[in-house]
Amino acid sequence: MEVSFSKEVEMLRLGAGDTFHGEGILAITKGLLQSGVAYVGGYQGAPVSHLLDVMVQGKAYMDELGVHVEACSNEASAAAMLGASIHYPLRGAVTWKSIVGTNVAADALSNLSSPGVTGGVLVVVGEDYGEGASVIQERTHAYALKSSMCLLDPRPDLGVMVRMVEEGFRLSEASNMPCLMELRIRTCHVRGSFECKDNVAPAVSTRALMTEPAGFDYMRLAHPPVTFRHEKLKGDARIPAARRYIVENRLNELIPGGRHADLGIVVQGGLYNALIRSLQQQGLADAFGDTDIPILVLNVTYPLVPEQVADFCVGKRAVLVVEEGQPEYIEQDIATLLRRRDIQTPLHGKDLLPAAGEYGVEVLSGGIGAFVAKYIAASNTDDSNNSNDSNGTSEASDAASSARAWLAGNRERREAVARQLSTPLPNRPPSFCIGCPERPVFSALKLAQQETGPVHIAADIGCHAFGTFEPFSMGHSILGYGMSLASRAGVAPMMNRRTLSIMGDGGFWHNGLLTGVQSALFNGDDAVLLIFKNGYTSATGTQDIISTPDDEVKERAVDKQQSLVDKNQTIEATLKGLGVQWMRTVTTYDVERMRKTLTEALTSDFNGLKVVIAEGECQLERQRRIKPWLASLLKKGERVVRVKYGVDEDVCNGDHACIRLSGCPTLTLKDNPDPLKVDPVATVIDGCVGCGLCGANAHAATLCPSFYRAEVVQNPKWHERLLHALRGGLVRALQPA
């Protein structure tokens, strides 16, 4: 796994009187245990993947409390776990990355929200939004609206976040509604401290089993005709109950203002820290959160409490709604409830702030500045004309001028850097890791298409999506995790050549097996599927999957350099069981064999699903496995051989075809040492892990013979030292004086 949480797991044992110091997502984990959660599950994915990672690595402690931990195959299976809370007083929590994860789980969430829950339910979603996002720019808010789920967006303070976890379960039980809790990337990783409580062992758990199942209750099924009753309950009972609980327990926070109490700001809880920093830029707040403008912090963004919002807005000259993303659900909701109460307070939001994009401090400062200019600067100007005391006016004006200067300075610095560049800087998109076993396959595919002609390539989510970047630039669509084979179904019948679908082993188990393979076999499609079998769900942090070799196999491996993924044949056995007749397994680093296999699959007379399994262990996991082993050998003084590749600069002809075919970060350029040659030569820099791709490409594509393979021997034997000395002496003797 990408990160070890052995120390953090021990922190989960902290109790009353202890202080927790750490980051946000770990605080959320502690909050779950303090809430008496009975079962947890989820699917990995940034930014909340550490929540599940900590639980999985802390299974021993979870078992002490009687908490069941389930690493789910996808988000739908995680959401389905929550069905335990429909009949039983079990508190359950699941987690995944949103919005794509919530899309996958939508069916189960709808059918959970209809009958409602008895035990508290909390769905912790990583709101992966804005410039740092790895998914499409959509919001979880829509799901809360359509399915009537409470939506929490806690202020990024560890104490508040933990309290919202605890209150989230109680809110769910008070309203019978599942609760969503969205956590932005910054919230997940914010650091701080909070005073702990004792963890609560659930009353019903793996250590305190139920003796009898619940009685049959048709009203608890999401099945017509009772679903019509469920819909009525949402509006008549559940949402009003949620609103009462929100008010009675003060889940939303009202921060009073100072000099400008006649104005107001309504903000999503997760944006509070950025808002305060922006107000500081305008001279309207200090570093401790004391503000001149009253702020209503929505730690619960759905449902809103009409009376609470109305009381905040009434009598104010204007209110600004700070809501990230589009559409502006909260702003529209507030506008509607104000108009229905005939409250004419001017409402601003997306008219002063960008409709799309992440609301960082600089973006918010621009919107706050426009709000200040309209309602504070203008008011101060009027007041100064009628008063001899101009101190307050002068201070506000100076702060506003300083903020405008700061924003203008940022723009000028960017423009100055751009002017200094003769040409724009090249894009630097993410790329495959050094030695990644998936890069050779794209090299082979590039060569194969020289024979078959260009093919339509249905790409997928995962590390292999880096193949869409240069130098490969392959992939016509990415529609969902494991959905590549399904996404070519409408294209393939219309193409003269066969199409190719690419997915990883993580995507295969997540969705691809049923969505793609089963469908293609059922319809008898003439399809080609390329599965990257690297042994892990690498793109989400190298978590284990069903086709990951177990620890015993890894420990038994005598040769630490060998691949371990071939020890697990689960994918091959599954495909054979489904009826796949044409299947080839090829080592990824054998570029020539992979090229021939792909060419065969794309041109074969066989009519049906053809599967190529590209086998090569994730290089990150391989290095994590072998580096400690090599270090232990060196410490004991044992002989260690490390393979390294290089380029003979005297042979390199400078056409750089090797770089265009490889894309490895360690294969780059340097100035030609020959003063008569202008073109730079290729070179292999430090960091090379000796995967051999450059040499394999040189053979498969018949490139110039400039690559060489060297063995770096540490702690050599005595005869190796002697042989090295003799060779060195002979070379020196043959060199001209």
Side-chain angles (χ1 to χ4, degrees):
M1 191 171 291
E2 184 178 25
V3 181
S4 172
F5 292 99
S6 56
K7 293 182 179 178
E8 286 79 0
V9 167
E10 291 304 312
M11 291 170 62
L12 297 180
R13 297 178 179 270
L14 296 177
D18 295 324
T19 301
F20 177 98
H21 298 276
E23 66 175 0
I25 197 62
L26 297 172
I28 295 290
T29 310
K30 182 68 170 75
L32 293 175
L33 299 181
Q34 292 180 178
S35 302
V37 69
Y39 62 96
V40 294
Y43 189 78
Q44 56 270 3
V48 294
S49 61
H50 290 347
L51 194 156
L52 185 63
D53 292 343
V54 170
M55 291 293 190
V56 170
Q57 293 184 40
K59 266 191 173 182
Y61 179 55
M62 300 299 108
D63 183 60
E64 291 179 24
L65 294 173
V67 179
H68 174 65
V69 180
E70 185 100 358
C72 302
S73 60
N74 57 34
E75 296 86 355
S77 63
M81 285 184 69
L82 299 173
S85 296
I86 294 176
H87 289 279
Y88 303 101
L90 296 170
R91 288 184 169 180
V94 294
T95 183
W96 55 70
K97 176 173 69 174
S98 199
I99 185 75
V100 290
T102 310
N103 290 338
V104 174
D107 195 10
L109 290 178
S110 294
N111 286 285
L112 176 74
S113 300
S114 187
V117 296
T118 301
V121 160
L122 190 66
V123 182
V124 182
V125 295
E127 193 73 353
D128 207 357
Y129 185 87
E131 293 181 1
S134 59
V135 298
I136 50 178
Q137 303 298 282
E138 293 182 359
R139 298 172 60 193
T140 306
H141 203 106
Y143 282 90
L145 291 173
K146 80 170 187 62
S147 297
S148 294
M149 293 184 284
C150 297
L151 179 60
L152 286 74
D153 189 357
R155 179 162 61 89
D157 174 273
L158 263 57
V160 174
M161 292 160 62
V162 171
R163 179 181 175 237
M164 286 302 115
V165 170
E166 298 168 343
E167 296 287 7
F169 283 114
R170 300 185 190 113
L171 174 61
S172 176
E173 291 162 351
S175 63
N176 302 124
M177 298 164 65
C179 285
L180 292 161
M181 175 181 281
E182 61 179 11
L183 300 175
R184 293 168 181 78
I185 293 175
R186 287 184 175 87
T187 305
C188 288
H189 299 300
V190 69
R191 302 191 71 84
S193 61
F194 69 93
E195 296 304 313
C196 297
K197 299 177 184 176
D198 290 333
N199 294 332
V200 178
V204 178
S205 70
T206 58
R207 292 182 172 271
L209 304 179
M210 294 181 286
T211 56
E212 299 293 338
F216 175 76
D217 184 356
Y218 191 73
M219 281 296 295
R220 289 290 182 179
L221 296 175
H223 191 266
V226 296
T227 50
F228 304 115
R229 172 61 177 162
H230 295 164
E231 184 69 9
K232 188 169 177 58
L233 283 172
K234 288 178 180 179
D236 292 350
R238 297 178 189 171
I239 292 178
R243 286 171 171 160
R244 284 194 301 273
Y245 189 90
I246 292 167
V247 172
E248 291 170 1
N249 294 275
R250 299 181 180 180
L251 301 192
N252 295 325
E253 299 174 276
L254 177 59
I255 299 175
R259 291 183 297 168
H260 305 293
D262 57 345
L263 297 175
I265 299 176
V266 180
V267 63
Q268 293 171 283
L271 298 178
Y272 171 82
N273 289 359
L275 173 64
I276 287 295
R277 186 70 182 95
S278 301
L279 289 172
Q280 282 182 260
Q281 294 293 330
Q282 302 288 340
L284 297 171
D286 61 22
F288 301 99
D290 292 329
T291 170
D292 289 345
I293 301 178
I295 301 174
L296 178 60
V297 182
L298 297 177
N299 290 316
V300 182
T301 54
Y302 183 82
L304 296 180
V305 181
E307 296 77 16
Q308 187 178 62
V309 175
D311 290 345
F312 180 77
C313 294
V314 70
K316 287 186 168 52
R317 289 194 294 127
V319 170
L320 175 67
V321 179
V322 179
E323 176 183 8
E324 189 175 61
Q326 57 182 339
E328 56 270 32
Y329 297 113
I330 299 172
E331 184 180 345
Q332 292 175 10
D333 201 353
I334 292 175
T336 299
L337 68 88
L338 290 182
R339 296 296 87 81
R340 285 177 178 171
R341 286 162 174 74
D342 197 26
I343 298 173
Q344 301 304 317
T345 302
L347 193 67
H348 297 279
K350 295 299 183 184
D351 56 335
L352 301 180
L353 290 160
E358 186 175 354
Y359 279 5
V361 173
E362 190 171 351
V363 171
L364 283 177
S365 294
I368 297 293
F371 186 69
V372 167
K374 186 175 180 66
Y375 290 102
I376 296 180
S379 174
N380 287 338
T381 301
D382 294 339
D383 292 343
S384 66
N385 293 331
N386 300 312
S387 173
N388 293 325
D389 184 7
S390 60
N391 288 339
T393 302
S394 177
E395 290 176 8
S397 178
D398 291 345
S401 297
S402 176
R404 287 194 296 271
W406 175 68
L407 291 171
N410 290 343
R411 288 192 297 269
E412 290 172 3
R413 280 188 289 275
R414 294 191 188 97
E415 293 170 358
V417 170
R419 287 193 299 269
Q420 291 173 6
L421 298 173
S422 56
T423 58
L425 289 173
N427 292 327
R428 296 189 65 186
S431 182
F432 295 106
C433 297
I434 296 170
C436 174
E438 300 181 356
R439 182 183 285 109
V441 181
F442 285 99
S443 298
L445 182 54
K446 202 169 187 177
L447 295 174
Q449 290 184 84
Q450 292 180 352
E451 300 178 45
T452 65
V455 298
H456 176 92
I457 298 176
D460 211 316
I461 292 172
C463 293
H464 42 81
F466 292 143
T468 59
F469 296 129
E470 294 181 353
F472 306 114
S473 301
M474 297 178 185
H476 292 82
S477 62
I478 297 179
L479 292 181
Y481 198 21
M483 296 180 68
S484 58
L485 187 57
S487 70
R488 57 84 241 168
V491 176
M494 316 298 173
M495 294 290 293
N496 186 42
R497 299 189 185 98
R498 286 180 178 138
T499 60
L500 176 69
S501 302
I502 297 173
M503 72 175 68
D505 42 6
F508 174 82
W509 295 117
H510 178 275
N511 204 2
L513 175 60
L514 296 180
T515 303
V517 175
Q518 184 271 143
S519 180
L521 291 172
F522 178 76
N523 289 285
D525 291 348
D526 185 21
V528 180
L529 172 62
L530 171 62
I531 299 176
F532 284 104
K533 181 185 173 186
N534 65 21
Y536 307 86
T537 51
S538 299
T540 59
T542 63
Q543 288 88 358
D544 288 358
I545 50 180
I546 192 173
S547 50
T548 300
D550 57 36
D551 293 337
E552 186 179 351
V553 171
K554 296 176 185 178
E555 291 173 2
R556 284 204 313 264
V558 177
D559 183 2
K560 301 292 183 178
Q561 306 289 338
Q562 73 181 36
S563 171
L564 294 179
V565 292
D566 60 341
K567 304 297 182 182
N568 190 313
Q569 297 290 305
T570 312
I571 293 178
E572 289 86 344
T574 301
L575 291 172
K576 289 178 183 177
L578 277 177
V580 174
Q581 300 177 38
W582 197 105
M583 182 165 54
R584 308 283 188 272
T585 299
V586 185
T587 300
T588 61
Y589 296 105
D590 191 341
V591 177
E592 176 61 18
R593 186 181 170 208
M594 181 62 72
R595 179 190 65 79
K596 291 180 179 179
T597 304
L598 290 171
T599 302
E600 180 188 0
L602 292 168
T603 59
S604 170
D605 293 334
F606 178 81
N607 191 344
L609 178 61
K610 292 162 282 294
V611 180
V612 178
I613 299 176
E615 186 176 78
E617 184 184 10
C618 170
Q619 190 66 226
L620 280 177
E621 281 299 310
R622 179 175 177 272
Q623 292 299 318
R624 291 182 182 124
R625 178 167 52 84
I626 68 173
K627 280 184 176 180
W629 173 70
L630 293 175
S632 67
L633 293 181
L634 290 172
K635 189 175 182 179
K636 292 184 288 187
E638 295 187 24
R639 180 179 183 272
V640 172
V641 180
R642 181 169 60 91
V643 175
K644 183 174 175 58
Y645 287 80
V647 176
D648 188 334
E649 56 196 30
D650 293 327
V651 179
C652 176
N653 60 19
D655 70 349
H656 311 144
C658 54
I659 294 176
R660 292 191 294 273
L661 188 58
S662 168
C664 177
T666 62
L667 180 58
T668 184
L669 300 175
K670 75 172 184 177
D671 292 335
N672 199 315
D674 189 336
L676 299 179
K677 295 180 180 179
V678 177
D679 294 331
V681 295
T683 185
V684 179
I685 61 176
D686 288 340
C688 171
V689 296
C691 71
L693 171 59
C694 47
N697 278 343
H699 287 292
T702 320
L703 303 178
C704 69
S706 58
F707 286 95
Y708 63 83
R709 179 182 184 275
E711 291 185 352
V712 180
V713 182
Q714 295 174 274
N715 296 331
K717 303 296 184 182
W718 68 268
H719 62 278
E720 292 176 311
R721 295 177 185 272
L722 176 61
L723 183 59
H724 176 71
L726 293 174
R727 284 172 175 170
L730 179 60
V731 169
R732 287 190 295 272
L734 293 175
Q735 288 177 336

